[in-house]
Amino acid sequence: MPRPRVLSGVQPTGALHLGNWLGAIRNWVNLQDSHDTFFCVVDLHAITVPHDPEQLAADTRKTAALYLAAGIDPSRSTVFVQSHVPAHSELAWLLNCVTPLNWLERMIQFKEKAIKQGDQVSVGLLDYPVLMAADILLYDADLVPVGEDQKQHLELARDIAQQRINARFGQKDADGEPIPVLKVPEPLILKEGARVMSLTDGRSKMSKSDPNEGSRITLLDPPELITKKIKRAKTDPVMGLEFGNPERPETDNLLGLYAILSGKGREAVAAECAAMGWGTFKPLLAEAAVEALRPLQQRYAELSADPAELDRVLAGGRERAQSVAQATLDRTRAALGFLPVH
Ligand code: TYM
């Protein structure tokens, strides 16, 4: 039996933060033992908002290096850059032509980002989830490990595959059973870490695009900066720390981070911190964050010293990704009735 497939990706826009790590990348690492894993740096997605061409290539390398530093092992996983495999753009076009406009207009992330950009919103930003669907569907992914904020995009990918491609263009076998053109993927959203909130507002998620850098801890922040950001993190004046109080979103978030980063888990942390004040808790959280990130930061420094090695990894990843993606693209082209290339 072939192992089930996994595909996921992160945009190379700015520095990756604790949300990206705890909601996504950290969970990819364990899947490598049991699944056939594909991880791409989604650089085509990064240009759906205004971007700096001086920065794009460097951020793409940095993101790939962070995957490896976080424990993605190129001998077990296919690590590649989205734009190096042209099938992503091509399948996105085919999917564009069968996806109803109003499915995209109701995407929450589009609405949120579009509000910020006013009349500068690009067609690419609206189309972002279709490109994401292409990323996933090209690899016949069974599972897509992501944070909570990507749930709606995953549902869209499923609907496009099922309702717009398989139902319309799939064939039937001799017994009348449908032969799908595209595999319908499942999201994998773990409870812990799926929604890491901003350090300055417990009601909005930690995000790369928040102009306030104090709102997030990035994976390469030095220890002093991590400590400073946690020291300044928003809190409330109530004594004692608890999970699950809707009036205290910052408390819930910081305790949740401590539970994951210390490795102690929620129950132990709830007991440990029940009577604590912020003055005692914050240094504990800072230390847990610094220690959790230390090995990742060390590996990142080693990788940065050997850029040729990263190039080799990405070249090997591209080759493997390309062959899998091309087969799916050819199958989809055939199902849609395109004249084959001879
Ligand atoms: P991006 O770069 O915005 O986020 C990358 C991953 O990090 C997760 N994430 C979070 N998890 C918990 N708490 C947070 N505050 C937080 N912020 C971000 C995201 O859920 C995501 O898993 N559209 C994708 C990129 C993408 C993709 C794909 C993902 C493009 N094609 C195909 C999976 C499969 C995104 O949001 O990237």
Side-chain angles (χ1 to χ4, degrees):
M1 276 288 278
R3 294 194 294 176
R5 232 354 122 57
V6 160
L7 177 124
S8 199
V10 176
Q11 295 185 65
T13 27
L16 269 54
H17 54 66
L18 274 185
N20 300 128
W21 189 42
L22 302 179
I25 303 173
R26 206 181 56 128
N27 305 323
W28 304 352
V29 175
N30 298 332
L31 290 164
Q32 296 180 110
D33 295 331
S34 47
H35 289 69
D36 183 17
T37 40
F38 285 73
F39 301 116
C40 60
V41 179
V42 291
D43 54 348
L44 296 170
H45 279 103
I47 67 163
T48 56
V49 293
H51 81 286
D52 178 359
E54 305 270 328
Q55 213 45 49
L56 183 61
D59 280 349
T60 301
R61 294 183 69 89
K62 192 169 170 183
T63 304
L66 280 171
Y67 288 3
L68 305 187
I72 300 303
D73 171 3
S75 71
R76 292 186 290 158
S77 289
T78 304
V79 179
F80 65 103
V81 175
Q82 182 191 35
S83 70
H84 291 180
V85 180
H88 290 249
S89 314
E90 195 172 343
L91 183 63
W93 177 256
L94 303 185
L95 302 181
N96 271 336
C97 296
V98 296
T99 303
L101 182 58
N102 64 26
W103 287 12
L104 298 179
E105 284 168 337
R106 63 170 192 244
M107 291 290 116
I108 297 163
Q109 267 199 2
F110 171 69
K111 287 196 263 188
E112 283 173 357
K113 288 191 188 174
I115 287 171
K116 289 188 198 145
Q117 291 186 46
D119 59 4
Q120 292 302 307
V121 178
S122 71
V123 175
L125 188 66
L126 179 69
D127 202 25
Y128 174 116
V130 178
L131 178 61
M132 177 165 162
D135 299 338
I136 297 165
L137 300 173
L138 274 177
Y139 298 90
D140 292 328
D142 297 278
L143 271 188
V144 185
V146 283
E148 179 72 37
D149 61 337
Q150 295 303 308
K151 198 169 171 205
Q152 197 186 27
H153 291 159
L154 252 297
E155 277 159 15
L156 183 92
R158 287 169 54 83
D159 289 347
I160 293 174
Q162 186 54 45
Q163 299 175 31
R164 295 285 151 163
I165 298 287
N166 293 346
R168 288 189 182 178
F169 304 104
Q171 305 282 321
K172 298 236 157 66
D173 70 11
D175 302 325
E177 290 296 318
I179 310 171
V181 182
L182 296 171
K183 175 138 209 174
V184 181
E186 297 282 344
L188 178 68
I189 301 170
L190 299 186
K191 253 201 195 131
E192 276 211 332
R195 201 168 161 75
V196 174
M197 308 310 277
S198 154
L199 297 185
T200 47
D201 174 7
R203 293 184 203 276
S204 60
K205 69 169 189 183
M206 187 177 282
S207 147
K208 292 181 206 135
S209 58
D210 191 324
N212 180 356
E213 292 198 3
S215 70
R216 61 185 164 266
I217 290 173
T218 81
L219 301 186
L220 297 176
D221 279 351
E224 318 76 68
L225 188 56
I226 295 177
T227 306
K228 190 165 116 191
K229 285 177 176 174
I230 290 177
K231 200 165 173 194
R232 293 192 180 162
K234 186 175 172 200
T235 53
D236 55 38
V238 185
M239 263 310 280
L241 308 180
E242 58 185 334
F243 281 113
N245 182 341
E247 301 300 314
R248 306 181 68 191
E250 286 82 17
T251 309
D252 190 75
N253 186 45
L254 296 178
L255 266 189
L257 284 176
Y258 181 53
I260 307 180
L261 294 169
S262 68
K264 292 178 180 172
R266 291 169 74 89
E267 230 173 279
V269 160
E272 180 188 348
C273 306
M276 249 180 218
W278 292 109
T280 316
F281 174 76
K282 281 186 163 181
L284 283 180
L285 173 59
E287 193 190 323
V290 168
E291 289 311 318
L293 286 172
R294 192 186 300 281
L296 182 153
Q297 296 189 347
Q298 251 159 19
R299 281 198 294 267
Y300 182 84
E302 287 157 21
L303 285 159
S304 305
D306 188 0
E309 173 58 17
L310 186 63
D311 287 339
R312 273 193 294 278
V313 167
L314 294 178
R318 187 201 73 86
E319 202 174 317
R320 166 122 208 272
Q322 168 72 25
S323 73
V324 176
Q326 192 61 44
T328 311
L329 181 62
D330 289 347
R331 199 168 75 225
T332 312
R333 286 175 54 104
L336 266 58
F338 284 95
L339 179 66
V341 182
H342 283 299

